[in-house]
Amino acid sequence: MKVFFRNIHLYLSLIAGVIIMITCFTGAVLVFEEELQQAFNEDRYFVKADGEKLPIETLVQNVKKQVPEAKISSVKIHADPERTVEVGYSVKDKKIGEPAKEEAKKEVKANGKEGDKGGKKPERNANRKTAFVNPYSGDVVELYSYRETFFYKMFALHRWLLGSNDGIGKYVVGVCTFIFLFILITGIILWWPKTRKILSQRITVKWTAGWKRINHDFHIVLGFYTAIFLFIFAFTGLSWSFAWFNKGVAYVTNSKLEPAEAPVSKIQADRMDISYDNAFAAVAKQVKAVEYYNIMAPKDSTGSYAINVLQAGNNMIVTDTYYVDQYSGEVVGSQKFEERNTGQKVRAGIKPVHTGAIFGMPSKIIGFIVCLLGTTFPITGTIMWINRLRRAKKKAGKRTLESESF
């Protein structure tokens, strides 16, 4: 029976091995993206707290002065007094193709809580960027495009093999990820020891042995320790490749993944539209310690401001959304995390689980190590296979010589 599973494990690995290496390696690179971005671009993210912060509207207008064609979509404000304010905007660009459209959709879903009706829908052919602004001086520190960064290339390679969200690369990654699940399952079946003596050999690396044995132990032993984590990362990764995965979440949890309709603003001809500052102040009265506010502009004349709030001490997925009428400045609705249905909570947790960010730095370290090791397994497995072929060839040659001697 183990020969059957060994063949499945081998042939599936030969089919998907290269893609698995790419996704594991790029996944390891992306684990600490936020920390590395802040470490190497400190001026972009941090300023010296000096005096009183300027009104949000002033910061927005400063961005518009520098980029007159900018259409502002969101403003992210951190509680940390030394953080810059992030103003999201778009600029129409007919040269931007499908990857840009999909990236815009991705950003809106991330900022608008999975297509929140109060969020801003992406414009067709829109080039989405972020302006980092000093909240004290009002200076635009940097006009930033994620698509132009090294990490975006790693992200595109990880998700689409540098293609687009509706291209063949997305499905190649998805299929190989699905195959990876069977590789991991058959790997555990093959690892399973018959005796305690064999068990001790399969949970420790024999460092004093030759390179072939060490290579064997790296594949078998480290594969066992990382298998459950790799399975979780691969399984959650399917949500970005196949629609049926998300439909499955909705079916299993017996709930709808779509958010509730956002409240509409009552048009009042005799009243001016309120500003970002009014919307921010209205929500700030209702919350206490906060990590950040992400304010999204109304989508049209009847839309409302949608403000996502991460309160201090909460896990990164536990965000609440408040809706502010764009004419009266009153909070007209909210959707708190605890009010979401089971499916929505599960869906919100998939990304931080997949990226290793669910429990902060400890889980990120685990994710980084596991992904790096995942990159090596197709290599160590191939070496084991080649060594096995050589042994079989030598045995066959020896039998031939023995038969000829008679």
Side-chain angles (χ1 to χ4, degrees):
M1 182 60 72
K2 280 203 171 184
V3 173
F4 171 74
F5 286 113
R6 182 177 290 111
N7 288 334
I8 292 178
H9 187 81
L10 170 62
Y11 294 130
L12 290 181
S13 298
L14 291 175
I15 292 170
V18 173
I19 304 301
I20 291 170
M21 288 177 60
I22 291 172
T23 52
C24 284
F25 175 75
T26 52
V29 172
L30 292 169
V31 167
F32 291 110
E33 176 183 354
E34 181 180 355
E35 289 79 6
L36 291 173
Q37 287 271 41
Q38 292 180 7
F40 290 107
N41 304 279
E42 188 174 354
D43 292 342
R44 177 195 301 159
Y45 297 96
F46 299 97
V47 296
K48 181 179 180 181
D50 186 15
E52 294 293 326
K53 289 186 176 181
L54 295 173
I56 302 172
E57 205 63 36
T58 300
L59 307 182
V60 170
Q61 292 304 317
N62 286 354
V63 173
K64 287 185 175 181
K65 288 179 182 178
Q66 189 154 338
V67 188
E69 67 275 22
K71 188 169 184 179
I72 308 300
S73 58
S74 64
V75 179
K76 188 172 185 179
I77 302 168
H78 297 268
D80 184 348
E82 295 187 340
R83 286 295 299 270
T84 51
V85 171
E86 301 169 28
V87 180
Y89 67 96
S90 60
V91 180
K92 288 187 178 180
D93 187 346
K94 294 182 180 180
K95 295 181 180 180
I96 298 298
E98 289 298 327
K101 297 175 194 175
E102 297 303 329
E103 178 60 20
K105 292 178 183 178
K106 179 184 76 69
E107 290 183 19
V108 169
K109 284 187 176 182
N111 294 331
K113 305 318 294 176
E114 295 299 324
D116 195 323
K117 300 297 183 182
K120 194 83 172 168
K121 288 186 178 180
E123 293 182 345
R124 188 172 179 80
N125 297 331
N127 183 8
R128 295 182 59 82
K129 295 187 177 184
T130 302
F132 289 84
V133 187
N134 186 319
Y136 301 99
S137 67
D139 295 335
V140 177
V141 176
E142 183 177 344
L143 298 176
Y144 169 83
S145 175
Y146 180 58
R147 286 179 50 80
E148 298 173 0
T149 66
F150 164 79
F151 286 105
Y152 176 78
K153 290 181 175 60
M154 290 293 101
F155 168 80
L157 185 58
H158 182 77
R159 287 271 295 275
W160 315 312
L161 299 179
L162 297 178
S164 64
N165 195 34
D166 60 353
I168 187 65
K170 168 186 175 180
Y171 297 103
V172 171
V173 170
V175 170
C176 289
T177 301
F178 193 73
I179 290 174
F180 192 27
L181 298 177
F182 288 94
I183 293 173
L184 292 167
I185 293 171
T186 54
I188 290 297
I189 293 173
L190 294 173
W191 173 90
W192 204 263
K194 293 182 179 179
T195 65
R196 288 188 176 182
K197 182 178 180 181
I198 296 176
L199 173 63
S200 64
Q201 294 175 351
R202 294 187 178 178
I203 59 175
T204 56
V205 177
K206 190 174 181 180
W207 297 102
T208 57
W211 73 268
K212 290 183 180 180
R213 174 58 188 270
I214 292 177
N215 178 81
H216 174 276
D217 286 356
F218 264 57
H219 191 83
I220 302 296
V221 178
L222 299 182
F224 165 71
Y225 287 122
T226 59
I228 184 62
F229 298 104
L230 287 172
F231 190 92
I232 291 172
F233 295 151
F235 183 73
T236 52
L238 294 176
S239 66
W240 287 281
S241 293
F242 303 111
W244 56 258
F245 184 94
N246 297 309
K247 291 178 181 178
V249 172
Y251 178 79
V252 171
T253 60
N254 192 28
S255 54
K256 294 182 178 180
L257 299 186
E258 296 78 11
E261 287 285 339
V264 299
S265 296
K266 297 179 181 179
I267 299 177
Q268 302 179 39
D270 59 335
R271 300 186 66 168
M272 297 289 291
D273 296 356
I274 66 165
S275 66
Y276 282 96
D277 295 280
N278 299 127
F280 172 76
V283 173
K285 293 177 182 178
Q286 300 196 16
V287 294
K288 294 182 180 179
V290 172
E291 290 286 342
Y292 67 74
Y293 301 85
N294 196 20
I295 311 169
M296 283 159 290
K299 61 180 180 179
D300 52 36
S301 60
T302 62
S304 54
Y305 283 93
I307 305 180
N308 293 325
V309 178
L310 175 62
Q311 298 197 37
N314 282 348
N315 188 285
M316 63 180 294
I317 69 171
V318 187
T319 57
D320 302 325
T321 303
Y322 294 85
Y323 301 98
V324 179
D325 188 293
Q326 65 171 297
Y327 300 103
S328 68
E330 297 177 355
V331 177
V332 291
S334 66
Q335 186 183 35
K336 297 185 178 180
F337 184 82
E338 60 266 22
E339 297 171 349
R340 299 184 194 179
N341 60 45
T342 304
Q344 290 170 340
K345 290 178 179 177
V346 170
R347 189 62 185 85
I350 286 178
K351 182 177 180 180
V353 169
H354 182 73
T355 61
I358 187 70
F359 297 120
M361 188 57 68
S363 57
K364 281 191 172 188
I365 293 173
I366 292 173
F368 176 74
I369 294 172
V370 167
C371 286
L372 278 185
L373 291 174
T375 306
T376 70
F377 294 142
I379 299 172
T380 54
T382 300
I383 293 173
M384 288 173 60
W385 174 55
I386 293 173
N387 288 335
R388 192 177 295 117
L389 289 177
R390 287 176 175 174
R391 287 198 300 271
K393 188 175 181 180
K394 286 182 179 179
K395 288 182 180 179
K398 185 177 181 181
R399 287 196 296 267
T400 301
L401 289 174
E402 289 176 351
S403 63
E404 290 177 351
S405 64
F406 288 103

